[in-house]
Amino acid sequence: MTTPHDRRNFLAQGAAATAGLFATRSVLSQQNDSFSTTEQQNADQNNDGYPRLHPGLGGPIGSATDRGKLVPGLGKTGAPPVGITAPDLKTTSGKVIDGVREFHLHAMPVRREVLPGIWMDAYGYNGEFPGPALEMYQGERVRIVFKNDLPEATTLHSHGLELPIYMDGIPAVTQPLVKPGQTFVYEYDVHQEGSYFLHPHVAMQEAIGMVVPFIIHPKVAYEPVVDRDFVLMTQQFSMMPNASIPNTTSMDWNFLTINGRCGPYTTPLVCKLGERIRIRFLNFSTLHQHPMHLHGHTFWVTGTEGGRIPESAWIPGNTVIVGVAQARDVEFIANNPGDWVLHCHMFHHMMNHMVTQVGPIVREKWNDAEEIVPGFPQMMSSAKLTKQDIHKLTSRRETQGMREGWYHGVHGLFTVMRVLPPDLYDKVMHTNEPIPPFSSTPKGPPPGSQSL
């Protein structure tokens, strides 16, 4: 076990996080992509004893490097924390006006392509659901200018925030409903930090998509520093065949989304090998928890909807249960290169547009395994993808270099975290160069590894 003195020495040697206040300029969206390949290679030679460029446990249980617990990121010390990345969503830090950070949110009907060619008509804000993702600093005053462009009355509730009662957004209890065409200004001081969200307090509106990730960065960057800060909002909907509107009264579901899209239409999380990553899971599903599971890595649970967890209470794992209306932050060193799936481990949540077939379950005779094996599971085949559908999935830069046909293994509440060497990362994210398949995950195991 390490002593506090050992830990202080480790943090000093391994790159302490910034200790100053955030600057008021817009630095929230910056990414620390400035370190070179040489710097990354040197990082693996640090005296912290943690294997940054390949899998490994690090130090003994309870030490600072135990499973990468307190191993810092590769970003420069003293820099502000990185801004959030919310794949498939817009992010904004608003605008500071007379010392108040101001956001504008318009509640409105929206239309979202949740899978290639499958559109959902729902409610949202500023033309999307969920989102847009907002971020600000702890200690600031926030002003949310809220306009209701829905055909019905609504409000806006700041979920988890400790604010004046008249800003809580509860119809009749704290304020009148905001009628169609009306504007209401929510303004309050923010003394908390963490992963929160905004939503109406009208149940059917919540069930039809209305939620906004609201990330509040601390005044002082946390130790150890992270290089990437991803936000993933989970939701679930019931949308029957030939319909485009979710059934908000249903107690069942068949579409499960991350940031408004179902896998494989979810845009991968892309990072560099050796970076420290934070993922913020926010669950705004109607009635189900989600055990979110990451392949190839061990993370530490570092935060909840109540904010940062003390280091002594961090829990290591590769699966974290995120209940309805909860947030869970996890952190880890991305030291295992490749394309790793990240998904809910509830089996029915790993499929798209599930519908009960009409009549008896039918299999083609050449593949009628039920006759051979009694109890063989009912048929649940993948939907057919057109060339246009496949183009939508594979033309995104974030998917370049993945295995051919990768999208056949990604469904429902599913995405992919890509851990790429710096040169491949730069080629994928900062150029338009064609990248051949299998560049990030090999076509097969090394020769001889399968011999008996």
Side-chain angles (χ1 to χ4, degrees):
M1 300 290 289
T2 58
T3 66
H5 178 72
D6 294 332
R7 181 177 171 276
R8 282 194 296 272
N9 286 341
F10 160 75
L11 292 173
Q13 295 170 1
T18 176
L21 297 179
F22 282 106
T24 56
R25 59 188 176 87
S26 179
V27 297
L28 291 166
S29 61
Q30 292 178 349
Q31 296 295 333
N32 291 341
D33 288 342
S34 59
F35 59 87
S36 65
T37 303
T38 301
E39 288 174 321
Q40 188 178 50
Q41 292 171 343
N42 291 338
D44 206 38
Q45 307 301 320
N46 284 347
N47 295 324
D48 56 30
Y50 188 73
R52 194 184 288 272
L53 303 184
H54 60 83
L57 292 176
I61 293 176
S63 70
T65 60
D66 174 18
R67 288 158 284 186
K69 182 176 183 180
L70 297 175
V71 177
L74 297 173
K76 295 179 180 178
T77 61
V82 295
I84 59 172
T85 299
D88 301 314
L89 298 182
K90 296 175 184 176
T91 63
T92 177
S93 55
K95 186 177 181 181
V96 177
I97 301 176
D98 296 329
V100 180
R101 189 170 295 276
E102 184 172 292
F103 299 95
H104 288 254
L105 285 180
H106 290 186
M108 62 178 64
V110 300
R111 196 162 191 253
R112 182 86 192 229
E113 189 177 25
V114 295
L115 280 166
I118 298 180
W119 293 81
M120 184 180 292
D121 291 297
Y123 285 176
Y125 301 95
N126 296 15
E128 64 180 340
F129 82 85
L134 314 182
E135 53 185 335
M136 62 173 293
Y137 304 116
Q138 179 186 26
E140 289 187 317
R141 187 171 182 84
V142 64
R143 178 185 300 127
I144 302 171
V145 181
F146 175 68
K147 171 77 180 301
N148 182 15
D149 289 327
L150 296 174
E152 61 189 42
T154 186
T155 61
L156 190 69
H157 168 61
S158 300
H159 184 98
L161 272 295
E162 300 170 1
L163 37 62
I165 185 65
Y166 47 85
M167 291 285 107
D168 200 37
I170 313 303
V173 179
T174 67
Q175 70 168 90
L177 281 161
V178 182
K179 296 179 180 179
Q182 289 185 342
T183 297
F184 189 94
V185 178
Y186 296 88
E187 186 170 335
Y188 51 88
D189 295 320
V190 177
H191 63 268
Q192 295 162 270
E193 55 73 31
S195 304
Y196 303 94
F197 43 90
L198 313 175
H199 63 82
H201 226 271
V202 180
M204 295 301 99
Q205 294 174 359
E206 298 175 56
I208 204 169
M210 301 188 73
V211 64
V212 173
F214 188 28
I215 307 304
I216 305 171
H217 295 285
K219 293 180 179 179
V220 179
Y222 284 126
E223 301 175 356
V225 294
V226 299
D227 302 298
R228 312 268 170 194
D229 195 341
F230 293 104
V231 175
L232 300 181
M233 171 73 74
T234 59
Q235 294 173 277
Q236 60 183 175
F237 304 94
S238 176
M239 192 167 68
M240 293 295 100
N242 300 318
S244 65
I245 303 172
N247 179 2
T248 58
T249 64
S250 175
M251 298 301 288
D252 205 348
W253 74 99
N254 60 353
F255 282 86
L256 298 111
T257 61
I258 295 177
N259 288 358
R261 286 182 174 176
C262 306
Y265 207 23
T266 48
T267 296
L269 287 60
V270 187
C271 65
K272 290 182 181 179
L273 181 64
E275 291 183 323
R276 186 177 181 92
I277 308 300
R278 177 185 295 125
I279 302 177
R280 303 172 188 258
F281 296 107
L282 308 173
N283 184 9
F284 203 66
S285 298
T286 52
L287 71 162
H288 285 106
Q289 65 180 12
H290 299 303
M292 300 303 295
H293 174 57
L294 173 64
H295 289 212
H297 295 80
T298 298
F299 54 60
W300 290 84
V301 181
T302 61
T304 73
E305 68 279 1
R308 189 76 163 178
I309 300 173
E311 293 169 9
S312 59
W314 290 5
I315 299 174
N318 52 56
T319 306
V320 60
I321 295 178
V322 190
V324 175
Q326 288 185 335
R328 292 293 181 270
D329 300 346
V330 304
E331 295 179 21
F332 58 96
I333 299 293
N335 63 353
N336 200 356
D339 300 329
W340 302 99
V341 294
L342 170 60
H343 63 95
C344 174
H345 219 287
M346 295 183 73
F347 307 137
H348 287 104
H349 293 188
M350 297 161 63
M351 293 179 275
N352 287 328
H353 47 77
M354 296 177 291
V355 293
T356 302
Q357 301 178 40
V358 178
I361 302 301
V362 177
R363 294 180 182 275
E364 295 192 28
K365 289 298 180 183
W366 63 269
N367 192 29
D368 199 351
E370 189 174 11
E371 293 183 0
I372 304 172
V373 182
F376 190 79
Q378 68 184 49
M379 180 171 63
M380 187 64 73
S381 61
S382 298
K384 304 298 182 184
L385 293 173
T386 67
K387 289 184 179 180
Q388 291 78 11
D389 294 338
I390 294 174
H391 178 74
K392 287 183 178 181
L393 299 176
T394 59
S395 61
R396 297 168 293 172
R397 287 303 299 177
E398 292 88 348
T399 68
Q400 299 302 294
M402 296 178 69
R403 288 174 59 92
E404 288 183 348
W406 62 267
Y407 42 83
H408 291 301
V410 178
H411 300 281
L413 207 57
F414 235 109
T415 190
V416 177
M417 190 192 77
R418 306 189 67 193
V419 180
L420 307 180
D423 55 346
L424 181 56
Y425 173 91
D426 290 336
K427 185 179 290 187
V428 169
M429 299 300 291
H430 300 309
T431 77
N432 290 320
E433 297 179 31
I435 303 173
F438 304 103
S439 294
S440 52
T441 298
K443 200 167 188 176
S449 65
Q450 297 293 296
S451 60
L452 297 177

